[in-house]
Amino acid sequence: QLQLVESGGGLVQPGGSLRLSCAASGFTLGYYAIGWFRQAPGKEREGVSCISTSGGMRTDADSVKGRFTSSRDNAKNTVYLQMNSLKPEDTATYYCAAARTVGGACPQIVLRNFNSWGQGTQVTVSS
């Protein structure tokens, strides 16, 4: 059974940084493109970033472009989301999810293209 576990969330001041991790168990993460999503209270879950199987292709939502960066270490079966210049509007529960695609490329970062969701990690940006 594919299982993903997110970690690294917490409370950070505006302008600060966090690095989230998404660790896989029960399968080889390197076969999957990994997407990051977030969901704020009362809002729909939205796609934030995606990284291809090789790490050579990354796509980011406009709201985080230039601030968030996905990376991966397939040897450690882990994907990361480095979040810099955090804003209060980045406050949400962050999830990672896997997508098996042709060539390992990132699909459009929408929920229907991903499965094997983690349980989420809370990120709160507040002074």
Side-chain angles (χ1 to χ4, degrees), residues 16-38:
S17 298
L18 281 175
R19 189 177 79 158
L20 306 183
S21 297
C22 171
S25 63
F27 68 104
T28 301
L29 196 67
Y31 294 149
Y32 295 82
I34 299 297
W36 287 96
F37 293 78
R38 67 185 181 186

Side-chain angles (χ1 to χ4, degrees), residues 10 12-13 18 32 38-39 41 47 56 61 65 67 70-71 77-78 84 88 93 100 110 114 117 121-122 127:
V12 63
Q13 292 186 342
L18 281 175
Y32 295 82
R38 67 185 181 186
Q39 187 166 19
K65 200 164 291 184
R67 300 188 298 121
S70 295
S71 62
N77 233 22
T78 303
N84 299 327
T93 300
R100 192 78 183 258
V110 294
F114 291 82
W117 294 83
T121 186
Q122 177 67 37
S127 55

Side-chain angles (χ1 to χ4, degrees), residues 35-48:
W36 287 96
F37 293 78
R38 67 185 181 186
Q39 187 166 19
K43 294 188 177 181
E44 294 186 352
R45 194 170 298 189
E46 63 172 346
V48 172

Side-chain angles (χ1 to χ4, degrees), residues 106-122:
C106 279
Q108 185 182 7
I109 318 173
V110 294
L111 274 67
R112 66 177 182 272
N113 289 336
F114 291 82
N115 50 35
S116 303
W117 294 83
Q119 84 292 345
T121 186
Q122 177 67 37

Side-chain angles (χ1 to χ4, degrees), residues 6-14 16-21 36 81 83 86-88 90-94 120-127:
E6 303 92 340
S7 62
L11 173 64
V12 63
Q13 292 186 342
S17 298
L18 281 175
R19 189 177 79 158
L20 306 183
S21 297
W36 287 96
L81 182 67
M83 306 187 297
L86 282 162
K87 305 175 181 180
D90 295 319
T91 296
T93 300
Y94 283 72
T121 186
Q122 177 67 37
V123 172
T124 303
V125 185
S126 175
S127 55

